[in-house]
Every structure is written in structure tokens, then in C-alpha cells.
């Protein structure tokens, strides 16, 4: 079984109300090893977390640096890694797929908005996703991020985009910043298959999120921020030691 097939199998439970697949977000090789040693079966790199670790603003990481960081993370662990590659760095589907495969990653996350264009036309994004799927075949797990909530959009708008992206070949859809209470509404609006939920402080338990309709849980840069909070405590203690 390839790493992409392994990752796909981990999502195979679907929205049946079971415990979701929890994918921690490593920002470097060391954190990736910690998460693997803890027993997680797969990892999902966060672009914002890697950007912070490399000294960049979110969305400002040069493509070469992002691919290099993903490569180091993949090489550090034996579990499948899916990579957040923002909006694809302007690469053609052929170039993008080739570079992802070079990293050894089992999947990728693609956003439907960027700093230049804002929220993209959903049909154009679906065509891009279809081209990525055609180029990659089964070799990559494709997670299609839906950014309507970032723009104040509705459940219906998010669901419409998600349906298009699934039809285009996405393995999973990711309505980022959707509140937990909207998960049943998104499902009722026609989202089928795996749904990625961004976990934040104060959200329900993972088990409850699964009951509501989430298939997988990711954290963005949240775990890095928690690690940095611990580092600040260490630093403060050193000053008073």
C-alpha cells in the first residue's frame, strides 16, 4: 500500500459519527518525530506553522522553502504526511504534482483563495482540482480547502463549492473556520465524503465533532502556538533561575 493509499484508508470511515482522524501539524522534523512517536498514524503540515518556523509571515513563504520544509518533515517520519501548499504558488497542475511527489508527501491541501485574487471562481477552482487529480492519479490525497467562511460566506455557499470540488476529484473538503454547529448543516446541504474540521480552543471534543459530521481534525498553526507558549514559560524561568 502506498502512503497515499494508506492516508485514503485512514479517511475511509466517512461521516458515520465515529471518532475523526486526528492529524497533528508538525512545523519541522523534530515536531514531526514527536507526533509520530506519540502514535499518530498520519500528519498534516500547516503552512502558517512552517512559515512561522522559517521566519516568514503566513502566506509569504517562498515555494522552494516550503517544499524543502515538507521534504525534511516527510523524511523524518514513516507515517503518511499531507502538505498544506496554500494556493499552489502559481504552479501549473503538472509542476505542482511533480514537486509534491518529489517531497514524498502523500497528499496536499489546496486553498481556493489567495492574497492576489481573493476568493477564486468556484468552477475555475474545480477545473484546477480536476487537473491536479488527473495529473496525480491515485498517487496523492487531495484536500480542497473552502475559504468562504473567511469571507463571511454562508453554509450554502460553502456547501456548493465543496460539492463542486468533490465532483472534480477531491478526496476531502475543508471548509476552514466553519463553526462546529454548522457541520450538520453542511452535511444536510449535500457535502458527502470526508470533511476536514479546523479545531480551536473551546470546540467540542473530537468524538462530538465526529458525531456532528467531521471526518478529520487538523489544527493549523495551533499546536506550534501552544509549543511557543511553553517555550515562553521556559524562557521566563531561565531569567529568574
Amino acid at each position: 500500500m502506498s502512503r497515499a493509499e494508506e492516508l485514503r484508508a485512514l479517511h475511509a470511515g466517512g461521516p458515520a459519527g465515529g471518532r475523526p482522524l486526528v492529524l497533528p501539524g508538525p512545523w519541522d522534523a523534530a515536531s514531526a518525530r514527536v507526533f509520530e512517536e506519540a502514535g499518530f498514524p498520519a500528519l498534516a503540515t500547516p503552512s502558517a506553522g512552517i512559515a512561522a518556523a522559517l521566519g516568514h509571515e503566513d502566506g509569504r513563504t517562498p515555494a522552494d522553502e516550503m517544499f524543502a520544509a515538507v521534504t525534511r518533515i516527510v523524511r523524518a517520519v514513516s507515517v503518511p504526511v499531507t502538505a498544506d501548499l496554500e494556493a499552489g504558488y502559481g504552479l501549473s497542475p503538472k509542476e505542482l504534482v511533480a514537486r509534491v511527489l518529489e517531497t514524498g508527501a502523500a497528499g496536499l491541501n489546496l486553498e481556493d483563495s489567495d492574497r492576489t485574487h481573493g476568493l477564486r471562481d468556484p468552477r475555475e477552482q474545480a477545473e484546477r482540482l480536476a487537473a491536479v487529480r488527473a495529473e496525480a492519479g491515485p498517487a496523492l490525497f487531495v484536500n480542497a480547502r473552502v475559504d468562504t467562511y473567511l469571507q463571511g460566506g454562508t453554509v450554502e455557499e460553502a456547501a456548493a463549492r465543496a460539492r463542486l470540488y468533490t465532483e472534480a476529484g477531491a478526496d476531502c473538503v475543508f471548509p476552514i473556520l466553519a463553526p462546529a454547529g454548522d457541520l450538520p448543516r453542511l452535511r444536510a446541504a449535500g457535502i458527502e465524503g470526508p470533511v476536514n474540521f479546523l479545531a480551536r480552543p473551546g470546540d467540542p471534543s473530537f468524538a462530538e465533532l465526529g458525531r456532528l459530521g467531521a471526518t478529520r481534525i487538523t489544527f493549523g498553526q495551533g499546536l506550534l502556538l501552544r509549543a511557543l507558549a511553553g517555550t515562553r514559560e521556559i524562557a521566563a524561568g531561565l531569567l529568574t533561575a
Side-chain angles (χ1 to χ4, degrees):
M1 183 181 291
S2 71
R3 285 188 171 184
E5 291 170 331
E6 188 178 345
L7 187 59
R8 207 166 275 118
L10 289 169
H11 290 76
R19 180 178 170 85
L21 174 64
V22 178
L23 298 179
W27 52 92
D28 59 14
S31 58
R33 290 192 188 101
V34 168
F35 292 133
E36 181 184 31
E37 290 166 2
F40 289 97
L43 307 174
T45 69
S47 61
I50 289 178
L54 294 175
H56 298 293
E57 295 181 20
D58 184 19
R60 301 292 190 185
T61 307
D64 287 348
E65 291 191 40
M66 183 62 75
F67 284 112
V70 171
T71 299
R72 289 191 293 271
I73 289 169
V74 171
R75 288 176 178 172
V77 296
S78 61
V79 297
V81 176
T82 179
D84 181 355
L85 297 176
E86 303 179 281
Y89 307 109
L91 299 172
S92 70
K94 183 175 183 177
E95 292 171 319
L96 179 62
V97 168
R99 296 205 64 176
V100 177
L101 292 175
E102 285 175 0
T103 70
L108 73 160
N109 182 85
L110 278 180
E111 305 169 4
D112 63 357
S113 70
D114 59 34
R115 291 176 181 266
T116 302
H117 303 92
L119 196 60
R120 292 178 177 270
D121 177 85
R123 295 198 177 275
E124 290 180 1
Q125 180 70 2
E127 290 174 2
R128 178 166 172 76
L129 289 165
V132 169
R133 168 55 67 214
E135 189 66 34
L140 291 175
F141 185 98
V142 178
N143 187 34
R145 204 177 90 174
V146 180
D147 286 1
T148 50
Y149 280 96
L150 292 172
Q151 309 292 333
T154 65
V155 169
E156 291 74 22
E157 290 169 337
R161 284 177 176 265
R163 291 195 302 269
L164 280 174
Y165 301 165
T166 300
E167 291 167 4
D171 295 286
C172 183
V173 293
F174 180 16
I176 191 169
L177 294 187
D182 278 6
L183 285 169
R185 298 175 61 198
L186 289 164
R187 288 296 190 186
I191 296 184
E192 299 178 355
V195 171
N196 191 151
F197 182 82
L198 179 69
R200 289 154 290 174
D203 280 330
S205 68
F206 297 154
E208 176 64 9
L209 289 170
R211 190 189 69 78
L212 292 171
T215 310
R216 89 181 200 180
I217 306 295
T218 55
F219 304 88
Q221 65 176 337
L223 301 181
L224 169 61
L225 296 178
R226 289 169 63 178
L228 290 176
T231 304
R232 289 189 185 95
E233 290 184 10
I234 293 172
L238 294 175
L239 289 172
T240 58

